[in-house]
Short mmCIF file of all heavy atoms in Angstrom, two decimals:
data_model
loop_
_atom_site.label_atom_id
_atom_site.label_comp_id
_atom_site.label_asym_id
_atom_site.label_seq_id
_atom_site.Cartn_x
_atom_site.Cartn_y
_atom_site.Cartn_z
N ASN I 1 0.81 -1.21 0.00
CA ASN I 1 0.00 0.00 0.00
C ASN I 1 0.85 1.26 0.00
O ASN I 1 0.33 2.34 0.18
CB ASN I 1 -0.97 -0.02 1.17
CG ASN I 1 -0.30 0.09 2.53
OD1 ASN I 1 0.92 0.24 2.63
ND2 ASN I 1 -1.09 0.01 3.57
N SER I 2 2.12 1.15 -0.11
CA SER I 2 3.11 2.23 -0.17
C SER I 2 3.27 3.01 1.13
O SER I 2 3.98 4.00 1.16
CB SER I 2 2.85 3.19 -1.35
OG SER I 2 1.77 4.05 -1.06
N LYS I 3 2.63 2.58 2.19
CA LYS I 3 2.83 3.20 3.51
C LYS I 3 3.54 2.18 4.40
O LYS I 3 3.16 1.02 4.46
CB LYS I 3 1.49 3.60 4.12
CG LYS I 3 0.80 4.70 3.35
CD LYS I 3 -0.43 5.16 4.06
CE LYS I 3 -1.08 6.26 3.23
NZ LYS I 3 -2.17 6.88 3.94
N VAL I 4 4.57 2.65 5.08
CA VAL I 4 5.34 1.78 5.96
C VAL I 4 4.66 1.71 7.31
O VAL I 4 4.31 2.73 7.90
CB VAL I 4 6.78 2.32 6.11
CG1 VAL I 4 7.56 1.47 7.11
CG2 VAL I 4 7.48 2.35 4.76
N ASN I 5 4.46 0.48 7.81
CA ASN I 5 3.88 0.32 9.14
C ASN I 5 4.50 -0.89 9.84
O ASN I 5 5.34 -1.58 9.27
CB ASN I 5 2.34 0.21 9.05
CG ASN I 5 1.89 -0.96 8.21
OD1 ASN I 5 2.42 -2.06 8.31
ND2 ASN I 5 0.90 -0.73 7.37
N ALA I 6 4.11 -1.10 11.08
CA ALA I 6 4.69 -2.17 11.88
C ALA I 6 4.40 -3.55 11.28
O ALA I 6 5.20 -4.48 11.44
CB ALA I 6 4.17 -2.10 13.31
N LEU I 7 3.29 -3.67 10.58
CA LEU I 7 2.97 -4.95 9.95
C LEU I 7 4.00 -5.32 8.88
O LEU I 7 4.35 -6.49 8.72
CB LEU I 7 1.57 -4.90 9.34
CG LEU I 7 1.03 -6.19 8.75
CD1 LEU I 7 1.06 -7.33 9.77
CD2 LEU I 7 -0.39 -5.98 8.25
N ASP I 8 4.53 -4.33 8.19
CA ASP I 8 5.58 -4.59 7.20
C ASP I 8 6.80 -5.22 7.86
O ASP I 8 7.35 -6.20 7.37
CB ASP I 8 5.99 -3.29 6.49
CG ASP I 8 4.85 -2.67 5.71
OD1 ASP I 8 4.10 -3.41 5.06
OD2 ASP I 8 4.72 -1.44 5.76
N ALA I 9 7.22 -4.66 8.98
CA ALA I 9 8.37 -5.21 9.70
C ALA I 9 8.06 -6.62 10.20
O ALA I 9 8.91 -7.51 10.13
CB ALA I 9 8.73 -4.30 10.88
N SER I 10 6.85 -6.82 10.68
CA SER I 10 6.45 -8.13 11.18
C SER I 10 6.48 -9.18 10.07
O SER I 10 6.94 -10.31 10.27
CB SER I 10 5.05 -8.04 11.79
OG SER I 10 4.63 -9.29 12.27
N ARG I 11 6.01 -8.81 8.90
CA ARG I 11 6.01 -9.75 7.77
C ARG I 11 7.43 -10.11 7.35
O ARG I 11 7.73 -11.27 7.07
CB ARG I 11 5.25 -9.16 6.59
CG ARG I 11 3.76 -9.16 6.78
CD ARG I 11 3.06 -8.60 5.59
NE ARG I 11 1.62 -8.62 5.79
CZ ARG I 11 0.78 -7.79 5.23
NH1 ARG I 11 1.23 -6.84 4.42
NH2 ARG I 11 -0.51 -7.88 5.47
N VAL I 12 8.30 -9.11 7.30
CA VAL I 12 9.70 -9.38 6.93
C VAL I 12 10.33 -10.32 7.95
O VAL I 12 11.00 -11.29 7.60
CB VAL I 12 10.50 -8.07 6.79
CG1 VAL I 12 12.00 -8.34 6.70
CG2 VAL I 12 10.03 -7.29 5.58
N LEU I 13 10.10 -10.05 9.23
CA LEU I 13 10.69 -10.88 10.28
C LEU I 13 10.11 -12.30 10.25
O LEU I 13 10.85 -13.27 10.41
CB LEU I 13 10.48 -10.24 11.64
CG LEU I 13 11.26 -10.85 12.79
CD1 LEU I 13 12.75 -10.87 12.50
CD2 LEU I 13 10.98 -10.08 14.08
N ALA I 14 8.82 -12.42 10.02
CA ALA I 14 8.20 -13.75 9.94
C ALA I 14 8.77 -14.54 8.76
O ALA I 14 9.09 -15.73 8.90
CB ALA I 14 6.69 -13.62 9.82
N ASN I 15 8.91 -13.89 7.61
CA ASN I 15 9.47 -14.57 6.45
C ASN I 15 10.94 -14.93 6.66
O ASN I 15 11.39 -16.00 6.25
CB ASN I 15 9.31 -13.72 5.19
CG ASN I 15 7.89 -13.73 4.68
OD1 ASN I 15 7.11 -14.63 4.98
ND2 ASN I 15 7.54 -12.73 3.91
N TYR I 16 11.68 -14.06 7.32
CA TYR I 16 13.07 -14.36 7.63
C TYR I 16 13.15 -15.57 8.56
O TYR I 16 13.99 -16.47 8.38
CB TYR I 16 13.76 -13.16 8.27
CG TYR I 16 15.11 -13.48 8.84
CD1 TYR I 16 16.17 -13.83 8.01
CD2 TYR I 16 15.33 -13.47 10.20
CE1 TYR I 16 17.41 -14.16 8.52
CE2 TYR I 16 16.57 -13.80 10.72
CZ TYR I 16 17.62 -14.14 9.89
OH TYR I 16 18.83 -14.47 10.40
N SER I 17 12.27 -15.62 9.55
CA SER I 17 12.25 -16.76 10.48
C SER I 17 11.96 -18.06 9.75
O SER I 17 12.59 -19.09 10.01
CB SER I 17 11.19 -16.54 11.57
OG SER I 17 11.52 -15.44 12.36
N LEU I 18 11.00 -18.02 8.82
CA LEU I 18 10.70 -19.21 8.03
C LEU I 18 11.91 -19.63 7.20
O LEU I 18 12.28 -20.81 7.19
CB LEU I 18 9.51 -18.94 7.11
CG LEU I 18 8.14 -18.88 7.76
CD1 LEU I 18 7.09 -18.40 6.76
CD2 LEU I 18 7.76 -20.25 8.31
N ALA I 19 12.51 -18.68 6.52
CA ALA I 19 13.65 -18.99 5.65
C ALA I 19 14.83 -19.54 6.45
O ALA I 19 15.52 -20.47 6.02
CB ALA I 19 14.07 -17.75 4.87
N SER I 20 15.06 -18.97 7.64
CA SER I 20 16.22 -19.41 8.43
C SER I 20 16.00 -20.77 9.09
O SER I 20 16.95 -21.36 9.59
CB SER I 20 16.58 -18.35 9.48
OG SER I 20 15.55 -18.21 10.43
N THR I 21 14.78 -21.28 9.04
CA THR I 21 14.51 -22.63 9.56
C THR I 21 14.25 -23.62 8.43
O THR I 21 13.69 -24.68 8.64
CB THR I 21 13.33 -22.63 10.55
OG1 THR I 21 12.17 -22.08 9.90
CG2 THR I 21 13.66 -21.83 11.79
N GLY I 22 14.66 -23.22 7.20
CA GLY I 22 14.61 -24.15 6.09
C GLY I 22 13.32 -24.14 5.28
O GLY I 22 13.18 -24.94 4.35
N HIS I 23 12.39 -23.28 5.60
CA HIS I 23 11.15 -23.21 4.83
C HIS I 23 11.33 -22.30 3.62
O HIS I 23 12.08 -21.34 3.67
CB HIS I 23 10.02 -22.68 5.71
CG HIS I 23 9.66 -23.60 6.82
ND1 HIS I 23 10.33 -23.60 8.02
CD2 HIS I 23 8.72 -24.56 6.92
CE1 HIS I 23 9.81 -24.52 8.82
NE2 HIS I 23 8.82 -25.12 8.16
N ALA I 24 10.62 -22.62 2.58
CA ALA I 24 10.68 -21.81 1.36
C ALA I 24 9.85 -20.55 1.53
O ALA I 24 8.72 -20.60 2.01
CB ALA I 24 10.17 -22.61 0.17
N VAL I 25 10.43 -19.44 1.18
CA VAL I 25 9.73 -18.17 1.18
C VAL I 25 9.86 -17.60 -0.23
O VAL I 25 10.97 -17.48 -0.74
CB VAL I 25 10.31 -17.19 2.22
CG1 VAL I 25 9.62 -15.85 2.15
CG2 VAL I 25 10.23 -17.78 3.62
N VAL I 26 8.74 -17.27 -0.82
CA VAL I 26 8.75 -16.76 -2.18
C VAL I 26 8.35 -15.29 -2.16
O VAL I 26 7.30 -14.93 -1.64
CB VAL I 26 7.77 -17.56 -3.08
CG1 VAL I 26 7.77 -16.99 -4.48
CG2 VAL I 26 8.15 -19.03 -3.08
N TYR I 27 9.24 -14.46 -2.68
CA TYR I 27 8.98 -13.04 -2.82
C TYR I 27 8.82 -12.70 -4.29
O TYR I 27 9.55 -13.23 -5.13
CB TYR I 27 10.18 -12.21 -2.32
CG TYR I 27 10.36 -12.13 -0.84
CD1 TYR I 27 11.35 -12.88 -0.21
CD2 TYR I 27 9.59 -11.27 -0.07
CE1 TYR I 27 11.54 -12.79 1.16
CE2 TYR I 27 9.79 -11.17 1.29
CZ TYR I 27 10.76 -11.93 1.90
OH TYR I 27 10.95 -11.83 3.24
N SER I 28 7.90 -11.81 -4.58
CA SER I 28 7.89 -11.25 -5.93
C SER I 28 9.08 -10.31 -6.02
O SER I 28 9.66 -9.93 -4.99
CB SER I 28 6.59 -10.49 -6.20
OG SER I 28 6.56 -9.29 -5.44
N LEU I 29 9.45 -9.93 -7.21
CA LEU I 29 10.59 -9.03 -7.39
C LEU I 29 10.35 -7.71 -6.65
O LEU I 29 11.25 -7.20 -5.97
CB LEU I 29 10.84 -8.77 -8.87
CG LEU I 29 12.09 -7.98 -9.21
CD1 LEU I 29 13.33 -8.64 -8.65
CD2 LEU I 29 12.22 -7.83 -10.72
N SER I 30 9.14 -7.19 -6.74
CA SER I 30 8.85 -5.91 -6.06
C SER I 30 8.84 -6.06 -4.55
O SER I 30 9.28 -5.17 -3.83
CB SER I 30 7.53 -5.32 -6.55
OG SER I 30 6.45 -6.18 -6.25
N GLU I 31 8.37 -7.21 -4.03
CA GLU I 31 8.39 -7.44 -2.58
C GLU I 31 9.82 -7.55 -2.07
O GLU I 31 10.15 -7.00 -1.02
CB GLU I 31 7.64 -8.72 -2.23
CG GLU I 31 6.15 -8.64 -2.38
CD GLU I 31 5.47 -9.98 -2.20
OE1 GLU I 31 6.05 -11.02 -2.60
OE2 GLU I 31 4.36 -9.99 -1.67
N LYS I 32 10.66 -8.27 -2.81
CA LYS I 32 12.05 -8.41 -2.38
C LYS I 32 12.75 -7.06 -2.39
O LYS I 32 13.48 -6.72 -1.46
CB LYS I 32 12.80 -9.41 -3.25
CG LYS I 32 14.23 -9.56 -2.78
CD LYS I 32 14.92 -10.78 -3.30
CE LYS I 32 16.33 -10.76 -2.74
NZ LYS I 32 16.94 -12.00 -2.63
N LYS I 33 12.53 -6.28 -3.44
CA LYS I 33 13.16 -4.97 -3.53
C LYS I 33 12.71 -4.07 -2.38
O LYS I 33 13.53 -3.37 -1.77
CB LYS I 33 12.83 -4.32 -4.87
CG LYS I 33 13.52 -3.01 -5.10
CD LYS I 33 13.22 -2.46 -6.47
CE LYS I 33 13.93 -1.13 -6.66
NZ LYS I 33 13.64 -0.54 -7.96
N ALA I 34 11.43 -4.09 -2.06
CA ALA I 34 10.91 -3.25 -0.98
C ALA I 34 11.37 -3.75 0.39
O ALA I 34 11.58 -2.95 1.30
CB ALA I 34 9.38 -3.22 -1.04
N SER I 35 11.52 -5.05 0.54
CA SER I 35 11.88 -5.63 1.84
C SER I 35 13.36 -5.56 2.15
O SER I 35 13.76 -5.49 3.31
CB SER I 35 11.43 -7.10 1.90
OG SER I 35 10.04 -7.19 1.75
N ASP I 36 14.20 -5.58 1.13
CA ASP I 36 15.65 -5.53 1.32
C ASP I 36 16.09 -4.07 1.42
O ASP I 36 16.74 -3.53 0.54
CB ASP I 36 16.36 -6.24 0.16
CG ASP I 36 17.87 -6.27 0.33
OD1 ASP I 36 18.36 -6.06 1.46
OD2 ASP I 36 18.56 -6.51 -0.68
N VAL I 37 15.72 -3.43 2.53
CA VAL I 37 15.91 -1.98 2.63
C VAL I 37 17.37 -1.56 2.71
O VAL I 37 17.71 -0.45 2.31
CB VAL I 37 15.09 -1.37 3.80
CG1 VAL I 37 13.62 -1.48 3.52
CG2 VAL I 37 15.44 -2.01 5.12
N ASN I 38 18.24 -2.41 3.21
CA ASN I 38 19.66 -2.03 3.24
C ASN I 38 20.41 -2.49 1.99
O ASN I 38 21.61 -2.31 1.89
CB ASN I 38 20.35 -2.53 4.51
CG ASN I 38 20.41 -4.03 4.60
OD1 ASN I 38 19.78 -4.75 3.83
ND2 ASN I 38 21.16 -4.51 5.58
N GLN I 39 19.69 -3.07 1.07
CA GLN I 39 20.20 -3.45 -0.25
C GLN I 39 21.47 -4.31 -0.20
O GLN I 39 22.40 -4.10 -0.96
CB GLN I 39 20.42 -2.20 -1.10
CG GLN I 39 19.16 -1.40 -1.29
CD GLN I 39 19.38 -0.10 -2.02
OE1 GLN I 39 20.51 0.32 -2.25
NE2 GLN I 39 18.29 0.55 -2.39
N ASP I 40 21.44 -5.31 0.69
CA ASP I 40 22.58 -6.21 0.77
C ASP I 40 22.31 -7.55 0.09
O ASP I 40 23.08 -8.49 0.20
CB ASP I 40 23.02 -6.43 2.22
CG ASP I 40 21.98 -7.15 3.07
OD1 ASP I 40 20.84 -7.39 2.57
OD2 ASP I 40 22.29 -7.48 4.22
N GLY I 41 21.17 -7.64 -0.61
CA GLY I 41 20.83 -8.86 -1.32
C GLY I 41 20.13 -9.90 -0.47
O GLY I 41 19.81 -10.99 -0.94
N LYS I 42 19.89 -9.59 0.80
CA LYS I 42 19.21 -10.51 1.71
C LYS I 42 18.04 -9.77 2.37
O LYS I 42 18.13 -8.59 2.64
CB LYS I 42 20.15 -10.98 2.83
CG LYS I 42 21.39 -11.67 2.35
CD LYS I 42 22.28 -12.03 3.53
CE LYS I 42 22.90 -10.76 4.09
NZ LYS I 42 23.93 -11.00 5.09
N VAL I 43 16.98 -10.51 2.63
CA VAL I 43 15.89 -9.98 3.44
C VAL I 43 16.00 -10.67 4.78
O VAL I 43 15.82 -11.88 4.89
CB VAL I 43 14.52 -10.25 2.78
CG1 VAL I 43 13.40 -9.74 3.66
CG2 VAL I 43 14.45 -9.60 1.40
N ASP I 44 16.35 -9.90 5.81
CA ASP I 44 16.64 -10.52 7.10
C ASP I 44 16.16 -9.64 8.26
O ASP I 44 15.47 -8.64 8.05
CB ASP I 44 18.12 -10.85 7.22
CG ASP I 44 19.04 -9.65 7.03
OD1 ASP I 44 18.57 -8.50 7.14
OD2 ASP I 44 20.24 -9.87 6.76
N ALA I 45 16.56 -10.02 9.47
CA ALA I 45 16.11 -9.32 10.67
C ALA I 45 16.58 -7.87 10.69
O ALA I 45 15.89 -7.00 11.25
CB ALA I 45 16.60 -10.06 11.92
N LEU I 46 17.72 -7.58 10.09
CA LEU I 46 18.19 -6.20 10.03
C LEU I 46 17.23 -5.34 9.22
O LEU I 46 16.91 -4.21 9.61
CB LEU I 46 19.60 -6.14 9.44
CG LEU I 46 20.21 -4.74 9.33
CD1 LEU I 46 20.25 -4.03 10.68
CD2 LEU I 46 21.62 -4.84 8.75
N ASP I 47 16.75 -5.87 8.11
CA ASP I 47 15.77 -5.14 7.31
C ASP I 47 14.50 -4.88 8.13
O ASP I 47 13.96 -3.77 8.11
CB ASP I 47 15.42 -5.92 6.04
CG ASP I 47 16.61 -6.07 5.11
OD1 ASP I 47 17.21 -5.04 4.73
OD2 ASP I 47 16.96 -7.21 4.78
N ALA I 48 14.03 -5.89 8.85
CA ALA I 48 12.85 -5.72 9.68
C ALA I 48 13.07 -4.64 10.74
O ALA I 48 12.18 -3.81 11.00
CB ALA I 48 12.47 -7.04 10.36
N SER I 49 14.24 -4.63 11.33
CA SER I 49 14.57 -3.63 12.34
C SER I 49 14.58 -2.21 11.76
O SER I 49 14.06 -1.27 12.38
CB SER I 49 15.93 -3.96 12.96
OG SER I 49 16.30 -3.00 13.91
N ILE I 50 15.13 -2.07 10.58
CA ILE I 50 15.17 -0.76 9.93
C ILE I 50 13.76 -0.29 9.60
O ILE I 50 13.40 0.87 9.81
CB ILE I 50 16.06 -0.80 8.67
CG1 ILE I 50 17.52 -1.03 9.06
CG2 ILE I 50 15.92 0.50 7.87
CD1 ILE I 50 18.42 -1.39 7.89
N ILE I 51 12.93 -1.21 9.09
CA ILE I 51 11.54 -0.88 8.77
C ILE I 51 10.81 -0.44 10.02
O ILE I 51 10.09 0.58 10.02
CB ILE I 51 10.83 -2.07 8.11
CG1 ILE I 51 11.43 -2.34 6.73
CG2 ILE I 51 9.33 -1.82 8.01
CD1 ILE I 51 11.02 -3.68 6.13
N LEU I 52 10.97 -1.17 11.12
CA LEU I 52 10.29 -0.82 12.36
C LEU I 52 10.78 0.51 12.91
O LEU I 52 9.98 1.33 13.39
CB LEU I 52 10.46 -1.93 13.39
CG LEU I 52 9.61 -1.82 14.65
CD1 LEU I 52 8.13 -1.71 14.30
CD2 LEU I 52 9.86 -3.00 15.57
N SER I 53 12.07 0.76 12.82
CA SER I 53 12.61 2.05 13.27
C SER I 53 12.05 3.20 12.45
O SER I 53 11.67 4.24 12.99
CB SER I 53 14.14 2.06 13.17
OG SER I 53 14.70 1.13 14.03
N TYR I 54 11.98 3.00 11.15
CA TYR I 54 11.42 4.02 10.25
C TYR I 54 9.97 4.31 10.63
O TYR I 54 9.56 5.46 10.76
CB TYR I 54 11.52 3.56 8.80
CG TYR I 54 10.96 4.57 7.83
CD1 TYR I 54 11.79 5.50 7.23
CD2 TYR I 54 9.60 4.59 7.51
CE1 TYR I 54 11.29 6.44 6.35
CE2 TYR I 54 9.09 5.53 6.64
CZ TYR I 54 9.94 6.45 6.06
OH TYR I 54 9.43 7.38 5.19
N TYR I 55 9.20 3.25 10.82
CA TYR I 55 7.79 3.41 11.19
C TYR I 55 7.65 4.15 12.52
O TYR I 55 6.84 5.06 12.65
CB TYR I 55 7.09 2.06 11.24
CG TYR I 55 5.73 2.15 11.88
CD1 TYR I 55 4.69 2.80 11.24
CD2 TYR I 55 5.50 1.63 13.14
CE1 TYR I 55 3.44 2.92 11.83
CE2 TYR I 55 4.27 1.74 13.74
CZ TYR I 55 3.24 2.38 13.09
OH TYR I 55 2.02 2.51 13.69
N ALA I 56 8.44 3.74 13.51
CA ALA I 56 8.34 4.35 14.84
C ALA I 56 8.65 5.85 14.78
O ALA I 56 7.94 6.66 15.38
CB ALA I 56 9.28 3.65 15.81
N LEU I 57 9.69 6.20 14.07
CA LEU I 57 10.04 7.62 13.96
C LEU I 57 9.00 8.41 13.18
O LEU I 57 8.56 9.48 13.60
CB LEU I 57 11.41 7.78 13.29
CG LEU I 57 12.60 7.35 14.13
CD1 LEU I 57 13.86 7.31 13.28
CD2 LEU I 57 12.79 8.26 15.32
N SER I 58 8.58 7.87 12.05
CA SER I 58 7.62 8.62 11.22
C SER I 58 6.25 8.72 11.89
O SER I 58 5.55 9.71 11.70
CB SER I 58 7.49 7.99 9.84
OG SER I 58 6.98 6.68 9.91
N SER I 59 5.88 7.74 12.70
CA SER I 59 4.57 7.80 13.37
C SER I 59 4.55 8.79 14.53
O SER I 59 3.48 9.12 15.03
CB SER I 59 4.14 6.42 13.84
OG SER I 59 4.97 5.97 14.88
N THR I 60 5.72 9.27 14.93
CA THR I 60 5.79 10.29 15.98
C THR I 60 6.09 11.67 15.40
O THR I 60 6.49 12.58 16.11
CB THR I 60 6.84 9.93 17.04
OG1 THR I 60 8.13 9.81 16.42
CG2 THR I 60 6.50 8.63 17.75
N GLY I 61 5.89 11.80 14.09
CA GLY I 61 6.05 13.10 13.44
C GLY I 61 7.47 13.45 13.05
O GLY I 61 7.72 14.56 12.59
N GLN I 62 8.39 12.53 13.22
CA GLN I 62 9.77 12.79 12.83
C GLN I 62 9.96 12.37 11.38
O GLN I 62 9.19 11.61 10.82
CB GLN I 62 10.72 12.03 13.75
CG GLN I 62 10.60 12.45 15.20
CD GLN I 62 11.53 11.68 16.09
OE1 GLN I 62 12.72 11.64 15.83
NE2 GLN I 62 10.99 11.07 17.12
N TYR I 63 11.01 12.85 10.77
CA TYR I 63 11.33 12.53 9.40
C TYR I 63 12.59 11.69 9.39
O TYR I 63 13.70 12.22 9.36
CB TYR I 63 11.50 13.80 8.57
CG TYR I 63 10.22 14.59 8.52
CD1 TYR I 63 9.99 15.64 9.41
CD2 TYR I 63 9.23 14.26 7.60
CE1 TYR I 63 8.80 16.35 9.39
CE2 TYR I 63 8.03 14.98 7.56
CZ TYR I 63 7.83 16.01 8.45
OH TYR I 63 6.64 16.71 8.42
N PRO I 64 12.42 10.37 9.41
CA PRO I 64 13.59 9.50 9.51
C PRO I 64 14.44 9.51 8.25
O PRO I 64 13.94 9.61 7.14
CB PRO I 64 12.99 8.11 9.72
CG PRO I 64 11.57 8.22 9.27
CD PRO I 64 11.18 9.65 9.39
N TYR I 65 15.74 9.45 8.47
CA TYR I 65 16.70 9.32 7.38
C TYR I 65 17.71 8.27 7.79
O TYR I 65 18.23 8.31 8.90
CB TYR I 65 17.41 10.64 7.11
CG TYR I 65 18.55 10.48 6.12
CD1 TYR I 65 18.29 10.41 4.77
CD2 TYR I 65 19.85 10.35 6.56
CE1 TYR I 65 19.32 10.24 3.86
CE2 TYR I 65 20.89 10.16 5.66
CZ TYR I 65 20.62 10.11 4.31
OH TYR I 65 21.63 9.91 3.42
N PHE I 66 17.95 7.33 6.92
CA PHE I 66 18.92 6.29 7.21
C PHE I 66 19.95 6.28 6.09
O PHE I 66 19.60 6.11 4.93
CB PHE I 66 18.24 4.92 7.29
CG PHE I 66 17.29 4.79 8.44
CD1 PHE I 66 15.93 5.01 8.27
CD2 PHE I 66 17.75 4.45 9.69
CE1 PHE I 66 15.06 4.91 9.32
CE2 PHE I 66 16.88 4.35 10.76
CZ PHE I 66 15.52 4.57 10.57
N ASP I 67 21.19 6.46 6.44
CA ASP I 67 22.28 6.33 5.48
C ASP I 67 22.73 4.88 5.53
O ASP I 67 23.46 4.49 6.43
CB ASP I 67 23.42 7.27 5.83
CG ASP I 67 24.52 7.26 4.79
OD1 ASP I 67 24.36 6.59 3.75
OD2 ASP I 67 25.54 7.91 5.02
N LEU I 68 22.28 4.09 4.59
CA LEU I 68 22.52 2.66 4.63
C LEU I 68 23.75 2.21 3.87
O LEU I 68 24.00 1.04 3.71
CB LEU I 68 21.28 1.93 4.08
CG LEU I 68 20.00 2.21 4.85
CD1 LEU I 68 18.82 1.57 4.15
CD2 LEU I 68 20.11 1.72 6.28
N LYS I 69 24.52 3.14 3.38
CA LYS I 69 25.71 2.77 2.62
C LYS I 69 26.93 2.85 3.49
O LYS I 69 27.06 3.52 4.42
CB LYS I 69 25.87 3.70 1.42
CG LYS I 69 24.64 3.67 0.54
CD LYS I 69 24.91 2.96 -0.72
CE LYS I 69 23.64 3.02 -1.55
NZ LYS I 69 23.39 2.04 -2.40
#
């Protein structure tokens, strides 16, 4: 829906948990691109943490900026 919220972070973390325990997780190209926020080629707990931090800051009226490089 193009809005970042806590559910986005939860979904990334749930999918990461499944993948790390050997379950298949299938992402569309757009889902993978949106979920891999630090652009390291992996969708993992760090991505979920960044998403949740972004949501927490933006929901309190702050304008989050993350230099991920």
Side-chain angles (χ1 to χ4, degrees):
N1 67 3
S2 77
K3 294 186 180 188
V4 176
N5 59 43
L7 185 55
D8 297 319
S10 179
R11 286 181 179 152
V12 168
L13 191 56
N15 285 339
Y16 170 67
S17 296
L18 286 171
S20 65
T21 56
H23 294 85
V25 177
V26 179
Y27 286 103
S28 70
L29 187 57
S30 63
E31 288 172 326
K32 181 163 180 154
K33 184 177 180 182
S35 299
D36 182 17
V37 293
N38 65 349
Q39 301 175 350
D40 65 353
K42 302 177 288 189
V43 178
D44 57 18
L46 180 56
D47 296 304
S49 178
I50 293 167
I51 293 167
L52 190 56
S53 295
Y54 180 93
Y55 168 70
L57 289 170
S58 63
S59 68
T60 59
Q62 298 179 54
Y63 297 95
Y65 172 80
F66 294 95
D67 185 5
L68 301 174
K69 303 252 181 209

